[in-house]
Amino acid sequence: MNSLNLLKVAEEFGAPLYVYDAEKISNQFKRLTKAFTGVGQLRLNYAAKALSNISILRLMNNLGTGLDTVSIQEVKLGLMAGFKPESIIYTPNGVSLEEIEEAAALGVQINIDNLSILEQFGSKHPDVPVCIRINPHVMAGGNSNISVGHIDSKFGISIHQIPHLLRIVDLTQMNINGIHMHTGSDILDIDVFLYASEILFETAKNFKNLDFIDFGSGFKVPYKEGDIQTNIEELGKKLTTRFNQFCEEYGKELTLAFEPGKFLVSEAGYFLAKVNVVKQTTSTVFASVDSGFNHLIRPMLYGAAHEIVNISNPKGRERYYSVVGYICETDTFGSNRRINEISEGDILCFKNAGAYCFTMSSNYNSRYRPAEVLWYKGKAHLIRERETFDDILRNQVDAKTLFEQPKAEAIK
Ligand SMILES: *Cc1c(COP(=O)(O)O)cnc(C)c1O
């Protein structure tokens, strides 16, 4: 989808607005599938939390992905979107036994990441197949907030606890059908990833009834030209060889699973916001848009550098700008960016806005969350309405009567 299309969509649906290009999602899916053609059984479970609009989930189901979910609500959304229970894996962290039992009752694949719940669940439901999430303690990427495989991480069962894990499995006679890891959101170094995979293979040997090994995700996508990204093709070649070799040793053809979120949807997303004010100060030129970290928190939360383009004036002279929001709090989208000259009313386009953007949005400052549009086969389809004042009030209980005093009493 090009800038002209984006501008038209903004005119039709208004700003701020999220737009997702179905074709880009489909191409990413095909690219990942192609990189692993050498694997007999491949499962790509889309990580719903990246972008969980039901129409996006339907698109994924249509492409042939499975679904990776982290809450019972995501499980329910997935089922509503048409995924079969067996195509859904439920990989929560820190949730109650009751919620895991609820997911199991819906027939989805359970993935457990701590020994306490494993023991309780296994004792009560030894017949339900369970996948276990291992923490291989491998640092992937540099940002410890998004790297979840390290020693202090709350995710997964430590590989140093394997003896206890095996004891629980033995005592409960539960059925372990999958092994899983998810080391974080930045696979920069394929060798580090392959090293973690070896730990997973080593762990897998302890279990006789596996159906799959799930390598999680963490594929890095480029945010701007020249950015390093995960070399999917190289990873595909190397891991395929190693995986097939392992299956041979194991004596069974297992399914190789991944759970890409960002890889499938990040680059397919565009966030469009309108410039309210161009403000010149003594040190910079600010362009303030009708948005803030209530709609796109990644720059402030992770320091994510989303590319910003002025689609209203693509040929304009380039100038330096700091693009900020309208929230009463520092909400910088980008500092000292060279952008085609900005006028009030222009539409700025934020790239890589497909993953962890809308799903992390909020009503902070009592603002409405944006609308969402799916660009499919050359046409724009509204997939989420813009919020209204009713949404701000929804679930609020107005305790008006508490503060109403009878007149006479008020005088006393
Ligand atoms: C968030 C998450 C993913 C997706 O990670 P990306 O970096 O978006 O690909 C995969 N698996 C699990 C368990 C997750 O929590």
Side-chain angles (χ1 to χ4, degrees), residues 253-287:
E253 195 182 338
L254 302 173
T255 296
L256 190 164
F258 278 116
E259 308 160 344
K262 196 186 251 192
F263 182 81
L264 292 180
V265 296
S266 176
E267 294 163 280
Y270 302 89
F271 180 54
L272 308 178
K274 196 171 85 185
V275 177
N276 284 335
V277 184
V278 175
K279 177 177 183 174
Q280 172 99 52
T281 68
T282 48
S283 59
T284 188
V285 184
F286 286 107

CSV table of all heavy atoms in Angstrom, one decimal, residues 253-287:
chain,number,residue,atom,x,y,z
A,253,GLU,N,8.9,-38.1,13.6
A,253,GLU,CA,8.9,-36.8,12.9
A,253,GLU,C,8.0,-35.8,13.7
A,253,GLU,O,6.8,-35.9,13.8
A,253,GLU,CB,8.3,-36.9,11.5
A,253,GLU,CG,8.6,-35.6,10.7
A,253,GLU,CD,8.0,-35.6,9.3
A,253,GLU,OE1,7.8,-36.7,8.8
A,253,GLU,OE2,7.8,-34.5,8.8
A,254,LEU,N,8.7,-34.8,14.3
A,254,LEU,CA,8.0,-33.9,15.2
A,254,LEU,C,7.6,-32.6,14.4
A,254,LEU,O,8.1,-32.4,13.3
A,254,LEU,CB,8.9,-33.4,16.3
A,254,LEU,CG,9.4,-34.5,17.3
A,254,LEU,CD1,10.4,-34.0,18.2
A,254,LEU,CD2,8.2,-35.2,18.0
A,255,THR,N,6.6,-31.9,14.9
A,255,THR,CA,6.3,-30.6,14.3
A,255,THR,C,7.2,-29.5,14.8
A,255,THR,O,7.5,-29.5,16.0
A,255,THR,CB,4.8,-30.3,14.7
A,255,THR,OG1,4.0,-31.2,14.1
A,255,THR,CG2,4.4,-28.9,14.1
A,256,LEU,N,7.7,-28.7,13.9
A,256,LEU,CA,8.5,-27.5,14.3
A,256,LEU,C,7.5,-26.3,14.4
A,256,LEU,O,6.9,-26.0,13.4
A,256,LEU,CB,9.6,-27.3,13.3
A,256,LEU,CG,10.7,-26.3,13.7
A,256,LEU,CD1,11.9,-26.4,12.7
A,256,LEU,CD2,10.2,-24.8,13.6
A,257,ALA,N,7.4,-25.7,15.6
A,257,ALA,CA,6.5,-24.6,15.7
A,257,ALA,C,7.3,-23.3,16.0
A,257,ALA,O,8.3,-23.3,16.7
A,257,ALA,CB,5.5,-24.9,16.8
A,258,PHE,N,6.7,-22.2,15.5
A,258,PHE,CA,7.1,-20.8,15.9
A,258,PHE,C,5.9,-20.0,16.3
A,258,PHE,O,4.8,-20.4,15.9
A,258,PHE,CB,7.8,-20.1,14.7
A,258,PHE,CG,9.2,-20.5,14.5
A,258,PHE,CD1,9.6,-21.2,13.3
A,258,PHE,CD2,10.2,-20.2,15.4
A,258,PHE,CE1,10.9,-21.5,13.1
A,258,PHE,CE2,11.5,-20.5,15.2
A,258,PHE,CZ,11.9,-21.1,14.0
A,259,GLU,N,6.2,-18.9,17.0
A,259,GLU,CA,5.1,-18.0,17.3
A,259,GLU,C,5.4,-16.6,17.0
A,259,GLU,O,5.5,-15.7,17.8
A,259,GLU,CB,4.9,-18.1,18.9
A,259,GLU,CG,4.7,-19.4,19.4
A,259,GLU,CD,5.0,-19.5,20.9
A,259,GLU,OE1,5.6,-18.5,21.4
A,259,GLU,OE2,4.6,-20.5,21.5
A,260,PRO,N,5.4,-16.3,15.7
A,260,PRO,CA,5.8,-14.9,15.3
A,260,PRO,C,4.6,-13.9,15.6
A,260,PRO,O,3.5,-14.2,15.2
A,260,PRO,CB,6.1,-15.0,13.8
A,260,PRO,CG,5.3,-16.2,13.4
A,260,PRO,CD,5.2,-17.2,14.6
A,261,GLY,N,4.9,-12.8,16.2
A,261,GLY,CA,4.0,-11.7,16.3
A,261,GLY,C,4.4,-10.6,15.4
A,261,GLY,O,3.9,-10.4,14.3
A,262,LYS,N,5.5,-9.9,15.9
A,262,LYS,CA,6.0,-8.8,15.2
A,262,LYS,C,6.4,-9.1,13.8
A,262,LYS,O,6.1,-8.3,12.9
A,262,LYS,CB,7.3,-8.4,16.0
A,262,LYS,CG,7.8,-7.0,15.7
A,262,LYS,CD,9.2,-6.8,16.4
A,262,LYS,CE,9.0,-5.9,17.5
A,262,LYS,NZ,10.4,-5.4,18.0
A,263,PHE,N,7.0,-10.2,13.5
A,263,PHE,CA,7.4,-10.5,12.1
A,263,PHE,C,6.3,-10.5,11.2
A,263,PHE,O,6.4,-10.0,10.0
A,263,PHE,CB,8.1,-11.9,12.1
A,263,PHE,CG,8.6,-12.3,10.7
A,263,PHE,CD1,9.8,-11.8,10.3
A,263,PHE,CD2,7.9,-13.1,9.9
A,263,PHE,CE1,10.3,-12.1,9.0
A,263,PHE,CE2,8.4,-13.4,8.6
A,263,PHE,CZ,9.6,-12.9,8.2
A,264,LEU,N,5.1,-11.0,11.6
A,264,LEU,CA,4.0,-11.0,10.7
A,264,LEU,C,3.3,-9.7,10.5
A,264,LEU,O,2.8,-9.4,9.4
A,264,LEU,CB,3.0,-12.1,11.1
A,264,LEU,CG,3.4,-13.5,11.1
A,264,LEU,CD1,2.3,-14.5,11.5
A,264,LEU,CD2,3.8,-13.9,9.6
A,265,VAL,N,3.2,-8.9,11.6
A,265,VAL,CA,2.3,-7.7,11.4
A,265,VAL,C,3.0,-6.3,11.6
A,265,VAL,O,2.4,-5.3,11.2
A,265,VAL,CB,1.1,-7.8,12.5
A,265,VAL,CG1,0.2,-9.0,12.1
A,265,VAL,CG2,1.6,-7.9,13.9
A,266,SER,N,4.2,-6.3,12.1
A,266,SER,CA,4.8,-5.0,12.4
A,266,SER,C,4.8,-4.1,11.1
A,266,SER,O,4.3,-3.0,11.1
A,266,SER,CB,6.3,-5.2,12.9
A,266,SER,OG,6.9,-3.9,13.0
A,267,GLU,N,5.5,-4.6,10.1
A,267,GLU,CA,5.7,-3.7,8.9
A,267,GLU,C,4.4,-3.5,8.1
A,267,GLU,O,4.3,-2.6,7.3
A,267,GLU,CB,6.7,-4.3,8.0
A,267,GLU,CG,8.1,-4.3,8.6
A,267,GLU,CD,9.0,-5.3,7.9
A,267,GLU,OE1,8.9,-6.5,8.1
A,267,GLU,OE2,9.8,-4.8,7.0
A,268,ALA,N,3.3,-4.3,8.4
A,268,ALA,CA,2.1,-4.2,7.7
A,268,ALA,C,1.2,-3.0,8.3
A,268,ALA,O,0.2,-2.6,7.7
A,268,ALA,CB,1.3,-5.5,7.8
A,269,GLY,N,1.7,-2.5,9.4
A,269,GLY,CA,0.8,-1.5,10.1
A,269,GLY,C,1.3,-0.1,9.9
A,269,GLY,O,2.5,0.2,9.8
A,270,TYR,N,0.4,0.9,9.7
A,270,TYR,CA,0.7,2.3,9.6
A,270,TYR,C,-0.2,3.0,10.6
A,270,TYR,O,-1.4,2.8,10.6
A,270,TYR,CB,0.3,2.8,8.1
A,270,TYR,CG,1.1,2.0,7.1
A,270,TYR,CD1,0.6,0.9,6.5
A,270,TYR,CD2,2.4,2.5,6.6
A,270,TYR,CE1,1.3,0.2,5.5
A,270,TYR,CE2,3.1,1.8,5.7
A,270,TYR,CZ,2.5,0.6,5.1
A,270,TYR,OH,3.2,0.0,4.1
A,271,PHE,N,0.4,3.9,11.3
A,271,PHE,CA,-0.4,4.8,12.2
A,271,PHE,C,-0.5,6.2,11.6
A,271,PHE,O,0.6,6.8,11.3
A,271,PHE,CB,0.2,4.8,13.6
A,271,PHE,CG,-0.6,5.6,14.6
A,271,PHE,CD1,-2.0,5.4,14.7
A,271,PHE,CD2,0.0,6.6,15.3
A,271,PHE,CE1,-2.7,6.1,15.6
A,271,PHE,CE2,-0.7,7.4,16.2
A,271,PHE,CZ,-2.1,7.1,16.3
A,272,LEU,N,-1.7,6.7,11.4
A,272,LEU,CA,-1.8,8.0,10.8
A,272,LEU,C,-2.4,9.0,11.8
A,272,LEU,O,-3.4,8.7,12.5
A,272,LEU,CB,-2.8,7.9,9.6
A,272,LEU,CG,-2.5,6.8,8.6
A,272,LEU,CD1,-3.6,6.8,7.5
A,272,LEU,CD2,-1.2,7.0,7.9
A,273,ALA,N,-1.7,10.1,11.9
A,273,ALA,CA,-2.1,11.1,12.9
A,273,ALA,C,-2.0,12.5,12.2
A,273,ALA,O,-1.2,12.7,11.3
A,273,ALA,CB,-1.2,11.1,14.1
A,274,LYS,N,-2.9,13.4,12.6
A,274,LYS,CA,-3.0,14.7,12.0
A,274,LYS,C,-2.2,15.7,12.9
A,274,LYS,O,-2.3,15.7,14.1
A,274,LYS,CB,-4.5,15.1,11.9
A,274,LYS,CG,-4.6,16.3,10.9
A,274,LYS,CD,-6.1,16.5,10.6
A,274,LYS,CE,-6.6,17.4,11.7
A,274,LYS,NZ,-8.1,17.7,11.6
A,275,VAL,N,-1.5,16.6,12.2
A,275,VAL,CA,-0.8,17.6,12.9
A,275,VAL,C,-1.7,18.7,13.4
A,275,VAL,O,-2.4,19.4,12.6
A,275,VAL,CB,0.3,18.2,12.0
A,275,VAL,CG1,1.1,19.3,12.7
A,275,VAL,CG2,1.3,17.1,11.5
A,276,ASN,N,-1.8,18.9,14.7
A,276,ASN,CA,-2.6,20.0,15.2
A,276,ASN,C,-1.9,21.3,15.2
A,276,ASN,O,-2.5,22.3,14.9
A,276,ASN,CB,-3.0,19.7,16.7
A,276,ASN,CG,-4.1,18.6,16.8
A,276,ASN,OD1,-4.9,18.4,15.8
A,276,ASN,ND2,-4.1,17.9,17.9
A,277,VAL,N,-0.6,21.3,15.6
A,277,VAL,CA,0.1,22.5,15.9
A,277,VAL,C,1.6,22.3,15.4
A,277,VAL,O,2.2,21.3,15.6
A,277,VAL,CB,0.1,22.9,17.4
A,277,VAL,CG1,0.8,24.2,17.6
A,277,VAL,CG2,-1.2,22.9,18.0
A,278,VAL,N,2.1,23.3,14.7
A,278,VAL,CA,3.5,23.4,14.5
A,278,VAL,C,4.0,24.5,15.4
A,278,VAL,O,3.6,25.7,15.3
A,278,VAL,CB,3.9,23.7,13.0
A,278,VAL,CG1,5.4,23.8,12.9
A,278,VAL,CG2,3.4,22.6,12.1
A,279,LYS,N,4.9,24.2,16.3
A,279,LYS,CA,5.3,25.1,17.4
A,279,LYS,C,6.8,25.3,17.3
A,279,LYS,O,7.6,24.4,17.5
A,279,LYS,CB,4.9,24.6,18.7
A,279,LYS,CG,5.3,25.4,19.9
A,279,LYS,CD,4.7,24.8,21.1
A,279,LYS,CE,5.0,25.6,22.4
A,279,LYS,NZ,4.3,25.0,23.5
A,280,GLN,N,7.2,26.5,17.1
A,280,GLN,CA,8.7,26.8,17.0
A,280,GLN,C,9.1,27.3,18.4
A,280,GLN,O,8.5,28.2,19.0
A,280,GLN,CB,8.9,28.0,16.0
A,280,GLN,CG,10.2,28.5,16.0
A,280,GLN,CD,11.0,27.9,14.8
A,280,GLN,OE1,10.6,27.9,13.7
A,280,GLN,NE2,12.2,27.5,15.2
A,281,THR,N,10.1,26.6,19.0
A,281,THR,CA,10.6,27.1,20.3
A,281,THR,C,12.0,27.7,20.1
A,281,THR,O,12.5,27.7,18.9
A,281,THR,CB,10.7,26.0,21.4
A,281,THR,OG1,11.6,25.1,21.0
A,281,THR,CG2,9.3,25.4,21.5
A,282,THR,N,12.7,28.0,21.1
A,282,THR,CA,14.1,28.6,20.9
A,282,THR,C,15.0,27.5,20.5
A,282,THR,O,16.1,27.8,19.9
A,282,THR,CB,14.6,29.1,22.3
A,282,THR,OG1,14.4,28.2,23.3
A,282,THR,CG2,13.9,30.4,22.6
A,283,SER,N,14.7,26.2,20.7
A,283,SER,CA,15.7,25.1,20.3
A,283,SER,C,15.2,24.2,19.3
A,283,SER,O,16.0,23.4,18.7
A,283,SER,CB,16.0,24.3,21.6
A,283,SER,OG,14.8,23.8,22.1
A,284,THR,N,13.9,24.1,19.0
A,284,THR,CA,13.4,23.1,18.0
A,284,THR,C,12.1,23.5,17.4
A,284,THR,O,11.5,24.5,17.8
A,284,THR,CB,13.3,21.7,18.7
A,284,THR,OG1,13.1,20.7,17.8
A,284,THR,CG2,12.2,21.7,19.7
A,285,VAL,N,11.7,22.7,16.4
A,285,VAL,CA,10.4,22.9,15.8
A,285,VAL,C,9.6,21.6,16.2
A,285,VAL,O,10.0,20.5,15.8
A,285,VAL,CB,10.4,23.0,14.3
A,285,VAL,CG1,9.0,23.3,13.8
A,285,VAL,CG2,11.3,24.1,13.9
A,286,PHE,N,8.5,21.8,17.0
A,286,PHE,CA,7.7,20.7,17.3
A,286,PHE,C,6.5,20.5,16.4
A,286,PHE,O,5.9,21.6,16.0
A,286,PHE,CB,7.1,20.9,18.7
A,286,PHE,CG,8.0,20.7,19.9
A,286,PHE,CD1,8.5,21.8,20.6
A,286,PHE,CD2,8.4,19.5,20.2
A,286,PHE,CE1,9.4,21.7,21.6
A,286,PHE,CE2,9.3,19.3,21.3
A,286,PHE,CZ,9.8,20.4,22.0
A,287,ALA,N,6.2,19.3,16.0
A,287,ALA,CA,5.0,19.1,15.3
A,287,ALA,C,4.1,18.2,16.3
A,287,ALA,O,4.5,17.1,16.6
A,287,ALA,CB,5.2,18.3,14.0
